[in-house]
Amino acid sequence: MFFRHLLAASCGAVACTLCGGAIAHQSSEVVKQDFNQSIPNLPGKSLVAVEVDYPPGSASLPHKHAKSAFIYAYVLSGSIESKVNDGEARVYHAGESWSESPGAIHRISRNASKTQPAKLLAIFVVDTDDKELTTPVK
């Protein structure tokens, strides 16, 4: 059960790259890689977990993730507004989550509050060779 929650939490949506935890575009969130491990029973796949801190009123630019990436996002604190592909924009509160399928476009990802910080845990199941997890969408 714990692994299922960890796997779910690890597939989250947001802006980061594998290279040193750097973000792939200019925006106001802070991304920190927490975990990067190959999955022994899934050759060629890795599990990558990142924390995304959103200061009050901050946002990520629209972005997409590596083509192989299945993502689970879990709100650790605060509230985050998210819109994936052509779905509806929704505000997720601490303890709530969503997922993103490979090839999805994350059109909105921002702190829903102008006064309180928010934090997201994003967990990726991704091809081990995919080094850039996030690229901006123009």
Side-chain angles (χ1 to χ4, degrees):
M1 188 66 147
F2 173 76
F3 181 74
R4 178 177 273 169
H5 289 285
L6 176 63
L7 181 60
S10 62
C11 302
V14 228
C16 77
T17 63
L18 287 173
C19 304
I23 56 177
H25 48 76
Q26 296 298 318
S27 55
S28 54
E29 80 278 16
V30 177
V31 178
K32 179 182 113 184
Q33 184 173 309
D34 287 338
F35 184 83
N36 184 348
Q37 178 70 46
S38 61
I39 303 173
N41 60 340
L42 293 173
K45 296 289 186 182
S46 290
L47 186 67
V48 179
V50 298
E51 287 180 48
V52 184
D53 285 300
Y54 287 98
S58 68
S60 300
L61 296 174
H63 57 275
K64 61 184 176 178
H65 296 286
K67 288 182 182 182
S68 68
F70 175 78
I71 302 160
Y72 176 83
Y74 181 83
V75 180
L76 295 169
S77 63
S79 299
I80 294 176
E81 183 176 10
S82 178
K83 178 178 178 171
V84 178
N85 292 328
D86 294 325
E88 292 186 33
R90 180 174 165 196
V91 175
Y92 295 87
H93 304 279
E96 295 182 316
S97 61
W98 72 91
S99 65
E100 296 181 36
S101 297
I105 296 176
H106 204 162
R107 299 186 187 284
I108 297 173
S109 183
R110 66 176 160 231
N111 187 337
S113 173
K114 301 231 185 280
T115 60
Q116 299 296 313
K119 183 181 280 195
L120 171 77
L121 175 65
I123 309 229
F124 293 70
V125 175
V126 65
D127 287 348
T128 302
D129 293 340
D130 285 342
K131 297 304 179 198
E132 192 168 316
L133 294 181
T134 302
T135 54
V137 173
K138 297 178 184 191

